[in-house]
Amino acid sequence: MKLRQTGLATLLFASAVYSLPAQSITGKGDRITGPNFATRSPVLGKHGMVATSHPLATQIGLDVLKQGGTAVDAAIAANAALGVIEPNNGGIGGDLFAIVWSAKDHRLYGLNASGRSPKGLTYEKLKAVLGNRTQIPLYGPLSVSVPGAVDGWFELHKRFGKLPVASLLAPSIRYAREGVPVPQVIAYSWQVAANRLADNEAIVGEFGNFRKTFLIDGKAPVEGQLFRNPDLAATYEIIARQGRDGFYNGPVADAMEQYAKRTGIYLRKDDLANTHSTWVDPVSVDYRGYMVYELPPNGQGIAVLQMLNILEGYDLKSLGHNSADYLHLLVEAKKLAFEDRARYYADPDFSKIPVEALLSKAYAAQRRKLIDPQKASERIDATDPTLRAGDTVYLTVADNEGNMVSLIQSNMLEFGSGMVPDGLGFVFHNRGTSFNLTPGHANVYAPGKRPFNTIIPGFATKNGKPFLSFGVMGGAMQPQGHLQVLCNIIDFGMNVQEAGDAARFSHSGSSEPIGTIMTDGGRLALESGISSEVRTELERRGHHLTKTDFFGGYQAILWDSVNHIYWGASEMRKDGQAAGY
């Protein structure tokens, strides 16, 4: 590292990673306008906007828009890129969900591209393999279900695409072969995930392919280091030439089956060939004049809508943003919705889910009565709503024709199951670990069934027009993140960038669809922007505060229907970028 003095300025010239010692950092700078907690201004554009968790994926999506591609074309291209440049969080070994606003049809479409459990693994066989274990392991062969993402790409493209899929994959193929420098947040997460998987190597089973594909000289790449994945480039080339069948019926499917047989995964070629995404109608509630849309189960999106319904009964703005009163209500609403999430959210092909009843205003009023404004709840039971008295990459794209897409895609945990099929360059996700093993439960394991899924794209409209395409990555944090972003915009009037940068809470320990039950109220984590006075008051009310948690990662595009301008945002918790033209 060399320093060169030039007048009063010190210029740094470096070819390696450079970082200042932590103790020399005294605090953040000041913005000349707007709230000081915001990291930057929203990005504005008239013709198109792309917001993803990696700048290179954003630039690829923007290039596609400028070449005449649709919002869906750009989203597919950006998602493919993220599989190369952010492989810890997403890739073609995982699932995908999307909400698309079609300007031509003036309506929303929903796509559920989540995969199913292997047909050859019965409940009885699974229980026999598990022995005395009461849950499916987080990693390894039993956690693998069918990857749905590639089928999702082709379903989206068939309905809303324009440019050839081969051209959409070309930038990612190039990056996979030439290599990409790893940015700061991804490098940190990569290291943590790699260490976690190494500590669980005995559960993962076959771990050599992971080391070969995702480690460099036995170690996770550091910030600024070049990462290459020629195996993934070759897999993308097969998909580019042969389409969906190249993945689910052709040579990629053959390789997946051979690897599965060798390593104890029950996935077979028939499971892959019979994979199909499902077009669904997004469901919605009215929150203070805004229609907020999520996808119905097997995802957890309707938890957002349930929480909004409960909170609609309070004047949140009068309580003050991130005050103790405000945060207490949001956390308690989350606990209520998550009890329904734990009991009811599952594959609708196997269980009758009372979605309409769960989203009714009457049910919300009933549940709202259970909130004590001065005391945190420790145990809440789900009720029957029909009685009167529930890790990841997110991106969003908007095009010149007014189409918008909200897309989320995931390995589940970072690097999923930890299992990488021979020569393919991607990891199988571990979504199968989200099944319940209790007979009679809505989410109980069955062959050919979609497990409970955490990834949720969000969308909101105002007066029948698109308003906000948004998402917040991160497991059970996602509904909580959706809720906080929406309240920031609708209740507190924040712009689309401020809404993501504002300090968040994350509550953990609620009852879960896998069968765990909340008995002690769970744990509440608060970001540093929330005052010590608020923390003390929340503890007085019985909330159990914890120092660390994951607070998600947010991208969004807001449509200004008056000025016909897109407002893009990508927050500071990720390496992402919003860019428009």
Side-chain angles (χ1 to χ4, degrees):
M1 178 71 62
K2 295 182 179 179
L3 303 181
R4 186 173 72 191
Q5 296 292 336
T6 307
L8 296 177
T10 300
L11 305 179
L12 301 179
F13 295 88
S15 58
V17 177
Y18 178 80
S19 61
L20 290 169
Q23 61 269 24
S24 69
I25 305 297
T26 56
K28 63 172 294 187
D30 295 326
R31 288 172 53 79
I32 64 172
T33 186
N36 206 41
F37 67 81
T39 58
R40 56 153 297 128
S41 309
V43 176
L44 307 180
K46 178 174 176 56
H47 298 291
M49 184 70 63
V50 183
T52 82
S53 53
H54 195 299
L56 294 181
T58 296
Q59 295 303 317
I60 287 171
L62 204 61
D63 287 343
V64 169
L65 292 182
K66 291 179 179 180
Q67 293 164 15
T70 67
V72 160
D73 286 332
I76 293 169
N79 187 204
L82 290 169
V84 177
I85 59 187
E86 194 177 348
N88 51 319
N89 286 324
I92 55 175
D95 287 338
L96 178 154
F97 289 80
I99 298 176
V100 180
W101 173 266
S102 169
K104 177 183 176 182
D105 301 328
H106 202 74
R107 59 161 291 191
L108 287 170
Y109 293 84
L111 183 71
N112 179 335
S114 61
R116 294 160 174 80
S117 57
K119 285 285 186 67
L121 180 60
T122 64
Y123 176 84
E124 293 74 20
K125 187 183 294 185
L126 173 63
K127 289 286 288 182
V129 173
L130 287 172
N132 60 3
R133 289 175 289 181
T134 58
Q135 294 178 4
I136 297 173
L138 275 176
Y139 321 104
L142 295 178
S143 71
V144 176
S145 53
V146 176
V150 172
D151 187 73
W153 286 354
F154 283 89
E155 282 294 314
L156 287 167
H157 187 265
K158 181 167 59 178
R159 178 167 279 184
F160 298 110
K162 185 185 296 182
L163 302 182
V165 171
S167 70
L168 304 180
L169 298 183
S172 298
I173 293 169
R174 184 177 70 250
Y175 274 128
R177 291 202 183 282
E178 295 178 358
V180 286
V182 179
Q184 186 177 65
V185 174
I186 292 174
Y188 169 79
S189 299
W190 200 316
Q191 180 67 63
V192 171
N195 289 341
R196 172 175 47 79
L197 285 170
D199 290 341
N200 290 277
E201 183 175 346
I203 299 173
V204 175
E206 194 288 305
F207 201 54
N209 286 354
F210 179 88
R211 289 195 183 93
K212 175 185 173 184
T213 304
F214 295 112
L215 304 183
I216 301 174
D217 297 327
K219 298 178 180 178
V222 298
E223 182 185 1
Q225 191 169 8
L226 205 65
F227 170 72
R228 297 180 177 86
N229 193 341
D231 287 346
L232 184 58
T235 300
Y236 277 5
E237 285 175 334
I238 292 171
I239 297 171
R241 290 193 308 268
Q242 300 182 22
R244 177 202 175 281
D245 282 350
F247 187 85
Y248 291 102
N249 288 299
V252 179
D254 291 335
M256 284 191 277
E257 182 179 62
Q258 290 167 12
Y259 178 78
K261 289 179 176 179
R262 180 168 70 83
T263 58
I265 299 172
Y266 286 85
L267 202 64
R268 294 296 181 265
K269 203 170 176 183
D270 282 349
D271 296 311
L272 297 164
N274 292 321
T275 296
H276 59 276
S277 302
T278 306
W279 289 101
V280 298
D281 290 327
V283 291
S284 65
V285 299
D286 183 327
Y287 182 71
R288 309 196 200 282
Y290 294 82
M291 295 302 298
V292 180
Y293 290 85
E294 300 279 351
L295 296 184
N298 55 313
Q300 63 175 339
I302 64 170
V304 181
L305 308 183
Q306 289 192 251
M307 290 186 282
L308 290 172
N309 272 349
I310 292 170
L311 293 168
E312 193 176 36
Y314 302 95
D315 182 359
L316 298 181
K317 185 176 182 179
S318 70
L319 302 179
H321 185 257
N322 279 351
S323 67
D325 288 340
Y326 172 76
L327 291 172
H328 175 77
L329 288 178
L330 266 65
V331 172
E332 293 303 296
K334 180 264 183 180
K335 292 178 184 177
L336 287 166
F338 270 50
E339 288 302 317
D340 290 332
R341 169 182 175 266
R343 177 174 175 179
Y344 295 112
Y345 295 14
D347 186 345
D349 289 345
F350 285 75
S351 301
K352 185 173 182 178
I353 304 166
V355 174
E356 183 177 352
L358 288 168
L359 298 184
S360 72
K361 299 294 185 180
Y363 181 62
Q366 174 189 335
R367 299 294 272 171
R368 191 182 301 124
K369 293 176 184 178
L370 299 177
I371 296 179
D372 184 333
Q374 292 298 319
K375 188 176 188 330
S377 58
E378 292 192 348
R379 172 72 188 268
I380 304 171
D381 291 325
T383 59
D384 186 346
T386 63
L387 298 177
R388 298 293 185 233
D391 297 60
T392 303
V393 293
Y394 174 81
L395 61 94
T396 177
V397 181
D399 65 28
N400 194 37
E401 296 178 357
N403 303 300
M404 302 176 74
V405 57
S406 178
L407 185 150
I408 196 159
Q409 199 267 308
S410 176
N411 294 328
M412 190 179 163
L413 292 182
E414 286 188 314
F415 289 121
S417 66
M419 305 187 74
V420 179
D422 299 326
L424 296 184
F426 64 84
V427 66
F428 278 131
H429 64 164
N430 60 330
R431 190 62 63 180
T433 194
S434 297
F435 279 116
N436 192 304
L437 295 178
T438 305
H441 190 279
N443 187 47
V444 67
Y445 177 85
K449 183 176 181 178
R450 292 173 293 192
F452 166 77
N453 208 306
T454 57
I455 58 176
I456 52 172
F459 206 94
T461 63
K462 177 72 170 176
N463 298 324
K465 299 177 182 178
F467 174 69
L468 185 69
S469 176
F470 72 105
V472 180
M473 313 160 224
M477 178 61 203
Q478 291 180 54
Q480 302 177 68
H482 282 214
L483 176 69
Q484 291 174 78
V485 164
L486 289 165
C487 290
N488 288 346
I489 293 174
I490 297 171
D491 290 293
F492 293 96
M494 296 184 193
N495 69 38
V496 69
Q497 182 66 41
E498 296 161 2
D501 283 337
R504 294 186 193 139
F505 75 83
S506 177
H507 179 268
S508 59
S510 287
S511 301
E512 290 290 337
I514 61 173
T516 55
I517 302 296
M518 182 181 76
T519 58
D520 63 354
R523 296 293 179 268
L524 178 62
L526 304 171
E527 289 192 305
S528 61
I530 296 172
S531 71
S532 58
E533 292 82 7
V534 168
R535 294 167 189 269
T536 299
E537 175 58 20
L538 288 171
E539 287 186 308
R540 187 194 69 77
R541 297 186 193 191
H543 294 281
H544 306 300
L545 267 57
T546 184
K547 291 184 178 180
T548 60
D549 204 341
F550 179 66
F551 297 94
Y554 159 83
Q555 265 77 234
I557 298 173
L558 184 148
W559 170 243
D560 175 357
S561 61
V562 175
N563 298 301
H564 293 180
I565 297 294
Y566 292 120
W567 294 53
S570 181
E571 48 124 292
M572 80 299 196
R573 297 173 188 83
K574 290 280 192 172
D575 298 306
Q577 179 193 38
Y581 78 108

